Amino acid sequence: RLNNGEDIVKVKLIQITPNAELFIAEQAGICYDSKITRPNQLLKRLKAEGHLATFRFATATFKVSGISRACSMQLLRHAFIDVLQRSQRYVKEDGAGFVIPEAIASNPEALELYTTGMEQDQIIYDKLWKLGIRAEDARYKLANGVHTQMVLTGNFQAWWDFLHGNAGRLQKAAQWEVREVAQNVQNILRLECPNIFGLTNGE
């Protein structure tokens, strides 16, 4: 989660359903044909019983920056999270930052090879640009480690699956960079909606 002089991954909440937990609990009431008097208890019950479809009635949108294009490819695999990404086709990667994995950063020889290669890629990219090569073609020279920005939006069931599902990104088996994104998302959602995204078994 290191990089070339810029901040590490940033995850910022830019939109969330107002009073999301209460709203979900009220809508879930139709399933039981009852007026909800203890919404917090109902939400915990819904989570414990796996009635996660009720979580679809609230959404959250995040801006994610300081991540690599490699990480973005993993985020794109989550079918129920909608994504907008900074375009390398229309935007010139002028002095593009890049992520340096800790395994490389901790090995001086590997770090020198990696950094030199990334800097050389940028030099060639800039030369291609000056030769009149369009960004959509010059980008082929850029590596997966180059920084990107994304906006991700999804309902709460989609975010729950992203965090805790079969391929949940909080799992130890998840790649380190996407796991850091997931940890940031989880921390934010825990503050916003503790009855839904609070501690779960095994955490």
Side-chain angles (χ1 to χ4, degrees):
R1 58 191 183 89
L2 302 173
N3 54 50
N4 61 331
E6 298 183 15
D7 292 336
I8 59 175
V9 59
K10 292 182 179 179
V11 177
K12 180 181 179 182
L13 178 67
I14 57 178
Q15 183 276 332
I16 191 168
T17 299
N19 302 312
E21 290 196 327
L22 178 59
F23 184 74
I24 289 173
E26 289 175 343
Q27 308 324 306
I30 195 172
C31 298
Y32 308 101
D33 193 25
S34 62
K35 182 177 180 180
I36 302 305
T37 57
R38 297 180 178 179
N40 292 351
Q41 290 186 12
L42 174 61
L43 291 170
K44 292 175 181 177
R45 172 185 164 191
L46 293 172
K47 183 169 66 171
E49 295 179 353
H51 194 180
L52 304 184
T54 56
F55 294 173
R56 296 177 193 164
F57 289 84
T59 63
T61 301
F62 296 90
K63 180 179 180 181
V64 180
S65 58
I67 61 170
S68 67
R69 298 286 297 195
C71 180
S72 74
M73 294 301 100
Q74 297 184 70
L75 294 171
L76 288 171
R77 294 193 183 107
H78 292 271
F80 299 105
I81 294 178
D82 295 314
V83 175
L84 296 174
Q85 184 171 13
R86 184 177 188 270
S87 173
Q88 288 185 328
R89 183 181 183 191
Y90 299 109
V91 180
K92 182 183 178 184
E93 294 285 17
D94 189 13
F98 53 87
V99 173
I100 305 176
E102 291 182 1
I104 293 176
S106 62
N107 183 319
E109 184 176 359
L111 178 60
E112 183 177 359
L113 284 170
Y114 181 84
T115 302
T116 300
M118 295 296 284
E119 291 173 349
Q120 186 65 25
D121 284 348
Q122 182 68 56
I123 290 171
I124 295 173
Y125 174 88
D126 291 341
K127 287 182 177 180
L128 290 171
W129 182 274
K130 290 177 181 178
L131 288 172
I133 305 300
R134 294 179 298 180
E136 65 180 29
D137 294 323
R139 64 178 169 167
Y140 280 80
K141 182 55 184 156
L142 296 174
N144 277 338
V146 170
H147 279 163
T148 190
Q149 295 184 40
M150 307 179 79
V151 174
L152 303 97
T153 190
N155 63 55
F156 281 11
Q157 185 180 19
W159 285 117
W160 180 268
D161 183 69
F162 170 74
L163 297 169
H164 303 288
N166 291 335
R169 299 300 182 168
L170 286 176
Q171 297 179 22
K172 292 181 179 179
Q175 194 260 354
W176 60 269
E177 193 178 8
V178 75
R179 189 169 66 245
E180 185 165 346
V181 173
Q183 288 169 341
N184 278 269
V185 168
Q186 173 77 333
N187 290 341
I188 292 169
L189 290 176
R190 275 181 178 166
L191 289 174
E192 296 287 334
C193 302
N195 294 294
I196 294 175
F197 292 99
L199 292 173
T200 60
N201 292 336
E203 288 190 271

